[in-house]
Amino acid sequence: MKFLHTSDWHVGKQLKGRDRIDEQRAVLREIVEVAGRNEVDAVLISGDLYENAVPSAAAQNLVVRTLLALRDLGCEVIALAGNHDHPGTFDAFRPLMGRSGINLLGNVRRPDSGGVVRFKARSDGQDTTVALLPFLSQRYAVRAANLMAQTPSENVGAYDQMVRDVLEQLCGEFHDDTVNLAMAHLTVTGGAFGGGERQAQSIFEYSVPASVFPAECSYAALGHLHRRQALPAACPVVYSGSPVAVDFGEQDNTSVVCLVEATASTPARITDVPITSARKLRTVHGTVAELEALADSFGEDYLRVWVREPARAGLREAVSDVLPNALEVRIDPEFSGSAERSAQHRDRTTGSPQELFERYCEQSGVKDDAVARLFAQLSDEVTAAGSEGASA
């Protein structure tokens, strides 16, 4: 059977205040075209469909229409919640999406209540089993009392054991005569960050080794890390990566979806299909005059600019005049001084809450992963509570 593996769409994500919904629409349209052109039996979406737990109406409309478009192709559509998604909302819409033939899963479930999906591939009738593991945060895997009483290494071990226990139950449904697939949104030890992940929920306290996926698994379709990569294991353990660079830290990543062919008796064959609809991100250096001379060569790329001139009044505006797509303008460290710090201060109100807090910590000289994790946790809880209050 043949399926498409994609993840980390982050629909609704802005870049330095720039709305990218049109780009995201083009990218998802391209993914639908790839699925249709290759007549896949299924599309697996391994989490982070949205950028945040309370997506805008436009973001929700785009994701729902994309899922329906994929289902209209006649293939199975299976999606699970990542750490950016709201699992409760996914499960609330699960019955409705199920009526449309779309399998949506927000929280971890037992195999017999939605944690395992079974279907016959339309192309060859091959029986297929899919084990689903949405994002499992440490605060749900380890009791609060234990977090306080145990050492960090003990907490890491508790999280690792919880993931192992869940996967053992889910993958226990695999059989020798079926194509056995696993979907998960998590960090695998040894995986390389793509550059735009939420660091507080990607550190090694949340990680597990690739060996948690059994040899009986034909393919493990992962989401969470934004770089396309495979981890050594007894079965193919693969991150498809994000199909669009979500931040300048991902500007050198190759955006793809994974086209996979698998049988019950042979190793999965993986083909990377490039996704090219999004605008490229680029970091450039130079004086204002040098940048102006090169402006035409940058095309429609979004730019992060390091200006190689001393700070002066109007410098940022001068760069923006010659490079309208410059979303971030900084003074090269060789020329930086107090004026650069003032510029950072003026920009303190732009960005997501997480970006603002990280910027504040950086400027304050605070480097504490525990503080970042706590802020991410509280931010998610407040956002989720606001969403539930609004729906009530």
Side-chain angles (χ1 to χ4, degrees), residues 81-356:
N83 58 298
H84 282 250
D85 302 313
H86 190 286
T89 300
F90 270 45
D91 284 340
F93 281 96
R94 176 177 166 80
L96 180 61
M97 299 301 283
R99 288 290 185 94
S100 301
I102 298 166
N103 201 304
L104 197 66
L105 187 64
N107 288 291
V108 176
R109 289 175 174 256
R110 295 176 58 85
D112 57 359
S113 62
V116 170
V117 174
R118 297 178 177 86
F119 63 88
K120 285 184 178 291
R122 60 176 178 171
S123 60
D124 57 6
Q126 174 68 64
D127 289 322
T128 303
T129 302
V130 188
L132 309 180
L133 179 60
F135 179 72
L136 181 63
S137 72
Q138 187 191 46
R139 58 195 168 99
Y140 291 121
V142 184
R143 292 180 180 275
N146 291 338
L147 285 172
M148 299 298 294
Q150 296 179 165
T151 65
S153 62
E154 289 173 330
N155 291 331
V156 170
Y159 179 79
D160 177 278
Q161 190 59 53
M162 173 67 78
V163 173
R164 288 177 185 273
D165 290 345
V166 171
L167 281 173
E168 182 179 2
Q169 290 291 319
L170 297 174
C171 297
E173 301 295 313
F174 290 166
H175 299 285
D176 292 340
D177 59 348
T178 64
V179 173
N180 302 313
L181 308 177
M183 292 176 63
H185 193 90
L186 46 69
T187 303
V188 170
T189 306
F193 293 143
E197 300 88 350
R198 182 175 290 177
Q199 295 293 323
Q201 292 178 334
S202 302
I203 60 175
F204 288 114
E205 284 188 37
Y206 290 87
S207 70
V208 295
S211 60
V212 297
F213 298 99
E216 296 79 13
C217 184
S218 306
Y219 181 93
L222 303 188
H224 196 32
L225 301 185
H226 294 179
R227 180 177 298 174
R228 163 65 173 95
Q229 58 192 299
L231 283 301
C235 67
V237 176
V238 178
Y239 285 100
S240 66
S242 176
V244 55
V246 302
D247 207 339
F248 285 103
E250 301 183 6
Q251 66 181 24
D252 296 325
N253 293 352
T254 300
S255 298
V256 304
V257 293
C258 296
L259 182 65
V260 186
E261 296 180 74
T263 73
S265 59
T266 59
R269 293 188 300 168
I270 308 167
T271 302
D272 289 350
V273 181
I275 300 298
T276 60
S277 297
R279 293 167 72 166
K280 293 181 179 179
L281 308 185
R282 184 190 301 204
T283 299
V284 297
H285 304 255
T287 65
V288 174
E290 290 169 342
L291 294 168
E292 183 175 15
L294 294 170
D296 290 342
S297 67
F298 300 147
E300 294 299 311
D301 297 354
Y302 285 135
L303 305 176
R304 175 172 59 182
V305 181
W306 288 93
V307 186
R308 293 188 54 77
E309 292 185 23
R312 56 179 170 81
L315 181 57
R316 182 180 299 273
E317 291 74 13
V319 173
S320 298
D321 286 343
V322 299
L323 299 176
N325 291 329
L327 304 188
E328 183 176 336
V329 179
R330 298 185 179 185
I331 304 297
D332 188 290
E334 183 180 345
F335 298 91
S336 64
S338 59
E340 170 65 7
R341 291 193 294 272
S342 297
Q344 292 176 347
H345 179 74
R346 287 197 302 272
D347 289 345
R348 69 187 184 279
T349 58
T350 62
S352 68
Q354 186 73 18
E355 290 170 337
L356 292 172

Side-chain angles (χ1 to χ4, degrees), residues 32 41 43 65-77 97-103 122:
V32 173
D41 298 302
V43 176
R65 286 183 178 275
T66 300
L67 296 177
L68 291 172
L70 289 169
R71 182 57 184 162
D72 287 344
L73 297 174
C75 59
E76 300 289 331
V77 179
M97 299 301 283
R99 288 290 185 94
S100 301
I102 298 166
N103 201 304
R122 60 176 178 171

